[in-house]
Amino acid sequence: MLNSKEAILSELTDILVEMFEVDAADITPEAHLSDNLDIDSIDAVDLIVRLKELTGKKIAPEEFKSVRTVGDVVAAIQTVMGQA
C-alpha cells in the first residue's frame, strides 16, 4: 500500500528499474528524471499510465507538469492519494 513516502519511493524505484532499466542505486529523491535517469517526455507518459494503474486514481498530466525529480513524483503521488 502506498501509505508513506518510503513505500511510494520503493514502488517507484521498482517501476523505474522495470520499465526503463534504470539502476536502482541511481534512484534517489534528488535524482532528476531527465538529467540523471534519462527519462524523456514519452517515458513520462508511460510512467503516468503505470502510476494510474498502481494508485487506481486518475492522474491528470497537469499534476506532473512541474515534476522534475524522483522526490517530485513521490509528492505528486501523495497528492493524488490525498496524503499531502
Side-chain angles (χ1 to χ4, degrees), residues 18-48:
E18 175 191 329
M19 290 182 70
F20 307 114
E21 300 177 2
V22 175
D23 187 337
D26 293 338
I27 302 170
T28 65
E30 298 79 29
H32 196 280
L33 295 174
S34 63
D35 294 347
N36 302 124
L37 305 179
D38 290 328
I39 294 176
D40 62 23
S41 58
I42 301 298
D43 292 336
V45 171
D46 293 337
L47 178 61
I48 290 171

Side-chain angles (χ1 to χ4, degrees), residues 1 14 29 50-52 57 71 73:
M1 189 70 202
D14 291 346
R50 182 66 180 271
L51 293 173
K52 180 180 173 188
K57 308 262 185 195
V73 176

Side-chain angles (χ1 to χ4, degrees), residues 2 4-16 74:
L2 302 176
S4 69
K5 283 185 180 181
E6 293 78 20
I8 294 169
L9 181 58
S10 176
E11 285 289 335
L12 182 58
T13 298
D14 291 346
I15 290 169
L16 293 172
V74 171

